[in-house]
């Protein structure tokens, strides 16, 4: 059971906008910034968003992050087939004194 | 360019220990934490802890306290993660990761290639 809750799956068609959510509590998302990762099979996760809404260089602006209270969201606009993969949210949990990952959302591009 | 190169796959018996290495290059090793994250088959990533290569200070996830030891050798820019008391639940890919300057705790910008640990009798 993950501390951060994500829907196990999401889907969309090419060109659409898909939003992946991440729900936490006051001890984690409520008081700390959220990070998002993209992962493809048999590869290491790739940093997509840090500090809630910041993109590392090289990440397309189709990917955007937001946070409100104890919820965070990753939006992917102009969905492309290559976006199909797993997406994880991460944040620091003050009660656990450690980083915690969401269970992940598997994105399918129909 | 930044690179993290990990040691090769391991097969261990239950109760044994494993030590994984992570050699860093392309940046000043002592300037950034090295985090360790593992991922069991079919599961999401799990943070294990981090080491400050400059001081050797460590911070372990509660799930691993007492079983994990993170060390470093600054002379060869290498971090190590040793896990003891292995069970089949420890079968996973183990990654080391370097954070971005802007998010030292959860923004893992560079990752090693991963080390597959299989625990089996």
């Amino acid at each position: 059971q993950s501390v951060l809750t994500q829907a196990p799956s999401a889907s969309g068609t090419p060109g659409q906008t898909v939003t992946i959510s991440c729900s936490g509590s006051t001890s984690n998302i409520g008081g700390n910034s959220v990070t998002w990762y993209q992962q493809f099979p048999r590869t290491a996760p790739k940093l997509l968003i840090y500090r809630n809404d910041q993109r590392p260089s090289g990440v397309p602006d189709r990917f955007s992050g937001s946070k409100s209270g104890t919820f965070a969201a990753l939006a992917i606009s102009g969905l492309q087939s290559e976006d199909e993969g797993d997406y994880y949210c991460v944040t620091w949990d003050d009660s656990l004194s450690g980083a915690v990952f969401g269970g992940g959302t598997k994105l399918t591009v129909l | 360019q930044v690179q993290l190169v990990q040691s090769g796959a391991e097969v261990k018996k239950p109760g044994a220990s494993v030590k994984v290495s992570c050699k860093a290059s392309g940046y000043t090793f002592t300037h950034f934490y090295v985090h360790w994250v593992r991922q069991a088959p079919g599961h999401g990533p799990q943070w294990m802890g981090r080491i400050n290569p400059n001081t050797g200070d460590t911070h372990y996830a509660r799930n691993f306290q007492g079983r994990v030891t993170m060390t470093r050798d600054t002379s060869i820019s290498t971090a190590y993660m040793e896990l003891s008391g292995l069970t089949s639940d420890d079968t996973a890919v183990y990654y080391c990761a370097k954070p971005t300057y802007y998010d030292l705790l959860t923004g893992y910008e560079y990752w090693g290639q991963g080390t597959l640990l299989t625990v089996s009798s």
Side-chain angles (χ1 to χ4, degrees), chain A residues 92-108:
Chain A
W92 190 261
D93 190 292
D94 294 325
S95 295
L96 296 174
S97 191
V100 290
F101 283 80
T105 297
K106 186 176 188 63
L107 175 63
T108 301

Side-chain angles (χ1 to χ4, degrees), chain B residues 93-113:
Chain B
V93 176
Y94 289 76
Y95 295 100
C96 61
K98 171 196 170 295
T100 169
Y101 170 81
Y102 303 102
D103 185 353
L104 297 176
L105 293 182
T106 63
Y108 316 132
E109 187 176 23
Y110 294 96
W111 295 67
Q113 83 276 20

Side-chain angles (χ1 to χ4, degrees), chain A residues 21-64:
Chain A
S21 64
C22 177
S23 173
S25 67
T26 53
S27 67
N28 43 66
I29 293 179
N32 298 288
S33 62
V34 176
T35 305
W36 290 91
Y37 290 91
Q38 175 191 60
Q39 187 177 31
F40 301 122
R42 295 173 297 283
T43 64
K46 173 189 172 183
L47 181 63
L48 215 53
I49 298 287
Y50 65 93
R51 283 197 175 178
N52 303 323
D53 57 9
Q54 301 298 301
R55 279 187 309 276
S57 60
V59 173
D61 58 7
R62 301 189 296 106
F63 295 89
S64 62

